Amino acid sequence: MGFHTTHWTVVMAAGAEGALAHEALSSLCSTYWYPLYAFIRRQGATPHEAEDLTQEFFCRILKRDWLANVQPAAGKFRSFLLACLKNFLANERERANAQRRGGGRKPIPLDGETAETRYSLEPADKVTPEVLFERRWAFTLLERTMAKLRQEYSRLEKLDAFEELQGFLPGGQGSASRAELAAKRGVSAGAIDVAVHRLRQQFGALLRENVAQTVSSEAEVEEEIHYLMSVLGS
């Protein structure tokens, strides 16, 4: 696997100027906005405040050139982004109204209703904002991986097979057993085993690609995958 485009290289582009910089930043925002929103909500902000602060955070990153001199030292992009958010919140004492913030611009389309619906489904346990952020980051990676895999099966006109087998993947939903699927499809249980094995291999490869985008070197990928699984299992 080539290790070329990562979130660090995207953030380098976002530190520049112009439409491409804005597009690069928007790409990152679309991945990380909900984990950051959940972090802010868990710290006690109202839904409106959390949405407003998330928008302002991304506006500040671009407007104040926070990324212009960033160097992709060894480390995880999510940790860098969370540190930036904490610094932003620590200095955000007086909240301006939404019109004043960022000159009324919204760098990315945040769906406040969707965000709050997702947040309302969060476990009622008393985990820290940091732990919640890690969980949301982990689930976001799984969701993006699942979406890419679904697209691939759809392209091959095998979406029905994907829908039936996705329950055997991490985070997948499905209640049918392998024997039940074999009977339904009129194939042997061994054929289902092979199909599940192939699906898991494809999922693993795509997950590795997604994780590779969030760290600064290929050497960190395996460690991050193990951490991802530990977060999901906690």
Side-chain angles (χ1 to χ4, degrees), residues 120-149:
S120 69
L121 297 176
E122 296 290 352
D125 54 25
K126 301 298 182 180
V127 299
T128 65
E130 288 80 4
V131 170
L132 182 59
F133 172 82
E134 297 285 285
R135 285 182 181 175
R136 290 307 102 201
W137 158 80
F139 277 109
T140 294
L141 282 180
L142 283 187
E143 288 168 0
R144 289 171 66 86
T145 301
M146 195 75 78
K148 286 185 178 180
L149 191 54

Side-chain angles (χ1 to χ4, degrees), residues 43-91:
Q43 287 201 321
T46 66
H48 176 75
E49 289 170 342
E51 182 182 358
D52 196 25
L53 285 167
T54 303
Q55 290 282 9
E56 173 67 359
F57 173 64
F58 289 124
C59 271
R60 292 280 187 90
I61 285 179
L62 190 59
K63 184 177 179 181
R64 297 181 62 180
D65 299 323
W66 284 5
L67 306 176
N69 298 313
V70 171
Q71 297 298 320
K76 302 167 182 64
F77 183 77
R78 61 183 168 78
S79 300
F80 160 77
L81 198 61
L82 183 58
C84 286
L85 178 65
K86 287 182 176 180
N87 183 64
F88 162 73
L89 293 175
N91 293 305

Side-chain angles (χ1 to χ4, degrees), residues 173-193:
Q173 298 181 351
S175 57
S177 68
R178 300 188 187 210
E180 289 171 335
L181 286 178
K184 177 181 178 180
R185 298 180 67 85
V187 299
S188 67
I192 296 297
D193 289 341

